[in-house]
Amino acid sequence: MSHCMSSLSVLHADQTERLILDSALAVLKDDSFNGLTVRAVARKAGMSERTIFRYFATREEFLDAVAREFTRLLNMPRAPQTLVELLAMPRKLYQSFEPHAKLISVVFHTEIFTRMKAGAAQQRWEAIGKLLDREFKKAPARARKIAAANIRYLLSGASWQYYRF
């Protein structure tokens, strides 16, 4: 019986955290980053601010969790392992952005975006750099670095917005 109760508690906690994060993204989409307050998220989720603070003790923890959730929502393609995958990446990436266009435009110039770049995006850039180093060993390091910077820009939200319009 106690094992069943603990499983239910974990399930309830997971569902509550999911509700908080979904509500945070909804607040961002409906309002703006400035509107992303614990009070607004609590109101959207139909819970108390205190409940949110039980899951995220600080604003930093909360924003990190929102950044991870937004990254998950975008369903970003994995880092390319081959040149063929690298060439296919802009289309895949832009397609993953498209359903969330409004939310991306809100998040684009916020702390959440900065946190996203420091997480999964950083791993993707490192993988691309390694791929270029591996595939173009004979090219000067400076040329590979410039190519990586151009690819990084092409695979950014800024490029997606530019080409979208």
Side-chain angles (χ1 to χ4, degrees), residues 3 18-19 34 37 53 59 63 69 73 76 87 95 104 134 141 143 145 152 155 161 163:
H3 174 67
R18 165 87 20 241
L19 177 60
N34 294 334
T37 63
F53 284 119
R59 179 176 186 272
L63 292 177
E69 180 60 17
L73 177 72
M76 309 264 272
L87 291 171
Q95 285 172 340
I104 289 171
R134 185 179 69 236
K145 197 172 196 170
R152 185 176 185 160
L155 297 178
Q161 278 192 320
Y163 291 121

Side-chain angles (χ1 to χ4, degrees), residues 77-91:
R78 68 183 184 89
Q81 303 300 309
T82 66
L83 290 177
V84 170
E85 289 177 4
L86 179 59
L87 291 171
M89 192 149 188
R91 179 180 303 273

Side-chain angles (χ1 to χ4, degrees), residues 88-138:
M89 192 149 188
R91 179 180 303 273
K92 286 181 179 178
L93 193 61
Y94 292 2
Q95 285 172 340
S96 73
F97 288 172
E98 200 57 42
H100 310 288
K102 180 164 182 355
L103 194 52
I104 289 171
S105 66
V106 170
V107 170
F108 196 57
H109 299 289
T110 69
E111 286 180 62
I112 293 171
F113 188 70
T114 303
R115 291 164 192 269
M116 289 172 63
K117 289 192 308 188
Q122 183 62 36
Q123 293 170 353
R124 186 172 48 253
W125 306 139
E126 289 170 6
I128 289 169
K130 288 177 185 175
L131 173 63
L132 294 176
D133 288 344
R134 185 179 69 236
E135 294 294 326
F136 301 104
K137 294 178 221 191
K138 294 181 182 177

